[in-house]
Amino acid sequence: MARRPAKAQPTEPIDHGSGNVFADLGYPDAEERQTKLRLAYAINGIIDERGLTQGAAAERLGINQPKVSALRNYKLDGFSVERLMTFLTALDRDVEIIIRRKPRSRTAARISVVAA
């Protein structure tokens, strides 16, 4: 009977992420980048769900096809959070913003996007 090789032990400690890769990488605008990414993910999901071509999506969103291509590839520097939320409403989605106190257990306030 063959013996199984012993599992290799990690040589370096593992650092767990914060949940925001942009903050982990040290971006000063990490919250905005994360928010844009989640909004774009929701938009791309709707485009996929409806089977829209980039041309059809461009017409629906009121932008040109190259901008839809940038959105589809998560190249989001040319898009504001507000514009991405407008795209969601153009795709028949309501966008709700709720402002509340942060819990005492957390040291900093945050922005979160939750797709229903």
Side-chain angles (χ1 to χ4, degrees), residues 3 5 7 25 29 32 39 43 62 75-76 78 101 107 114:
R3 288 180 71 186
K7 290 186 178 181
L25 293 173
D29 58 346
E32 180 181 6
L39 292 169
I43 292 164
K75 295 179 182 177
L76 304 174
R101 290 182 186 255
T107 57
V114 179

Side-chain angles (χ1 to χ4, degrees), residues 4-98:
R4 296 173 109 187
K7 290 186 178 181
Q9 296 296 317
T11 56
E12 296 182 29
I14 297 172
D15 291 328
H16 293 280
S18 68
N20 182 336
V21 68
F22 301 110
D24 295 342
L25 293 173
Y27 284 92
D29 58 346
E31 290 286 334
E32 180 181 6
R33 287 176 181 263
Q34 183 78 359
T35 300
K36 285 180 173 184
L37 178 68
R38 291 189 176 181
L39 292 169
Y41 184 80
I43 292 164
N44 284 329
I46 297 163
I47 290 170
D48 290 341
E49 177 185 295
R50 294 185 181 176
L52 297 175
T53 64
Q54 288 189 9
E59 188 174 319
R60 184 73 186 249
L61 300 176
I63 58 176
N64 61 29
Q65 181 276 324
K67 287 186 176 150
V68 173
S69 178
L71 181 63
R72 299 288 285 162
N73 289 294
Y74 297 95
K75 295 179 182 177
L76 304 174
D77 286 339
F79 300 100
S80 67
V81 170
E82 180 182 14
R83 191 170 189 200
L84 294 169
M85 288 189 295
T86 301
F87 292 162
L88 285 165
T89 62
L91 293 167
D92 300 321
R93 294 300 194 269
D94 289 336
V95 176
E96 183 175 320
I97 299 172
I98 300 170

